[in-house]
Amino acid sequence: MTYYAKSKVGDLPRVTVKEHLSAVSELARCFGSEIGIEMAAMFAGKMHDFGKYSMAFQSVLNGTKQGVDHAVPGAAACVGKAVSNLNYRAVIEAIYGHHSGLVSYHEALPLLKKSAQSDDVVMAHSGKEVSLKKSEYGRAISVFCSEFGGFSYPELEQLVFFGDTDLEKSVQSMLYTRMLYSCLVDADYFVSACEEQGIEVSDCSHQFDANEALFRLTEYRKVIKAGSAADVRLNAIRENVYQDCSSAGDSDDDLLTLTAPTGTGKTLALMNLALRKCIDNDSRKGKSRIIVVLPFLSLSDQTESIY
């Protein structure tokens, strides 16, 4: 039989579990490669919807059943490997929580073991019935292996700790899990959105051209400066702020602050600084993205619309 990942959307062809897992796995791998967790992200992407290889989940799609959790089986399938490779615990946590939120490995472990060892109905933390029972895992694994040409557990990248204390290690382990979780969830949601709209998943390796963006910013400023009706003294201050950010962006300083009152053009000046930091030259490595963090949604919306 054909195992589907999604319900039918309009006239679009239905997405199979294999197609969805392949796309999410590749996109998660791409995300993970930027932070050194390529294999972990790829494997999490391939296993996250393993529980959809079940009659229970297919019945949900057919409208004859509801309240089925498909995340637990993929996490349960990795439990044995987590004994010898602690990084698999982060993979388990990411898979287990990719719809319902992160739950620690130790908290999830009893449920994961029970779901793989019992033919009784097992309820996940989400309150839904786990999609696979003990007697059904074999068939699911057989289908998975036939669709992906076999099955093997990859050797995941080892987490290198920078610090000796338990607190330092626990913080770094926590951040590792959250970054892996982000790679998986972002890939899953992005691929799902593309599938629902019938469009191809974009190449995530594409990076913006900082030189081109800086040119466009410069041209945009020329236009708004030419049409500005503000006081000449205010425009002079705006120009000073902008040029100060130009100098700071071309410097080798890693941590900078800007203090200027409202109306002095900080939004464009800061983008000017950030783009210059992204341009590769002999004194520093070019950056691949700009992250803007703001305290209020209204400010985020306003800044996004300008950028």
Side-chain angles (χ1 to χ4, degrees):
M1 66 176 283
T2 301
Y3 289 85
Y4 293 105
K6 309 283 182 180
S7 300
K8 185 171 177 57
V9 179
D11 296 328
L12 296 175
R14 295 189 70 180
V15 179
T16 66
V17 177
K18 178 184 178 181
E19 291 169 337
H20 181 70
L21 292 182
S22 297
V24 173
S25 176
E26 175 56 25
L27 190 56
R29 181 203 64 77
C30 194
F31 291 157
S33 65
E34 298 189 24
I35 51 177
I37 58 172
E38 179 176 354
M39 293 302 296
M42 178 186 69
F43 188 70
K46 181 167 285 188
M47 292 296 295
H48 79 287
D49 278 356
F50 171 75
K52 290 185 177 181
Y53 286 113
S54 66
M55 295 308 300
F57 183 80
Q58 296 305 305
S59 296
V60 172
L61 298 184
N62 295 333
T64 58
K65 194 176 180 68
Q66 60 182 355
V68 174
D69 183 292
H70 64 270
V72 170
C78 301
V79 169
K81 193 65 177 177
V83 176
S84 59
N85 189 327
L86 297 182
N87 281 13
Y88 268 95
R89 297 186 179 187
V91 171
I92 289 171
E93 290 169 340
I95 293 174
Y96 185 92
H98 76 273
H99 280 300
S100 56
L102 282 172
V103 174
S104 74
Y105 168 78
H106 294 290
E107 184 179 349
L109 187 57
L111 173 63
L112 297 178
K113 288 182 175 180
K114 182 179 180 181
S115 70
Q117 298 171 359
S118 174
D119 271 327
D120 295 329
V121 174
V122 176
M123 305 302 292
H125 285 95
S126 61
K128 297 180 179 181
E129 174 187 333
V130 176
S131 63
L132 286 173
K133 300 176 182 179
K134 176 184 177 181
S135 59
E136 298 171 326
Y137 269 88
R139 176 181 174 82
I141 292 173
S142 177
V143 175
F144 180 89
C145 289
S146 68
E147 294 199 335
F148 288 99
F151 177 83
S152 62
Y153 291 96
E155 289 301 318
L156 304 185
E157 305 87 351
Q158 292 298 310
L159 177 59
V160 178
F161 291 106
F162 300 95
D164 299 323
T165 68
D166 289 339
L167 177 59
E168 289 172 318
K169 291 181 178 179
S170 65
V171 168
Q172 290 171 61
S173 178
M174 176 271 292
L175 291 174
Y176 175 91
T177 298
R178 290 185 181 278
M179 292 302 289
L180 175 61
Y181 181 70
S182 179
C183 290
L184 172 59
V185 173
D186 288 355
D188 188 25
Y189 275 71
F190 187 82
V191 168
S192 295
C194 291
E195 291 168 343
E196 290 169 4
Q197 299 174 64
I199 60 178
E200 294 293 325
V201 178
S202 301
D203 178 8
C204 76
S205 64
H206 171 74
Q207 295 180 354
F208 74 94
D209 185 334
N211 287 288
E212 171 65 18
L214 185 59
F215 171 77
R216 291 172 61 182
L217 174 63
T218 301
E219 293 300 301
Y220 176 70
R221 283 195 76 247
K222 289 180 181 179
V223 173
I224 62 174
K225 285 171 65 178
S228 175
D231 187 284
V232 64
R233 292 169 296 180
L234 176 56
N235 282 335
I237 294 174
R238 289 171 173 168
E239 185 65 24
N240 287 338
V241 171
Y242 193 84
Q243 294 306 324
D244 281 347
C245 284
S246 294
S247 299
D250 291 333
S251 73
D252 291 330
D253 295 327
D254 290 327
L255 181 62
L256 299 158
T257 61
L258 168 65
T259 303
T262 299
T264 51
K266 294 189 297 297
T267 301
L268 296 182
L270 288 172
M271 180 55 72
N272 175 34
L273 183 154
L275 287 171
R276 291 176 183 277
K277 287 293 186 184
C278 289
I279 296 174
D280 195 1
N281 60 30
D282 294 335
S283 64
R284 62 182 178 274
K285 182 179 179 182
K287 309 300 182 185
S288 61
R289 59 171 50 80
I290 296 168
I291 301 173
V292 181
V293 182
L294 294 163
F296 300 108
L297 291 177
S298 57
L299 292 180
S300 298
D301 290 341
Q302 175 186 333
T303 303
E304 186 272 340
S305 66
I306 293 173
Y307 288 159

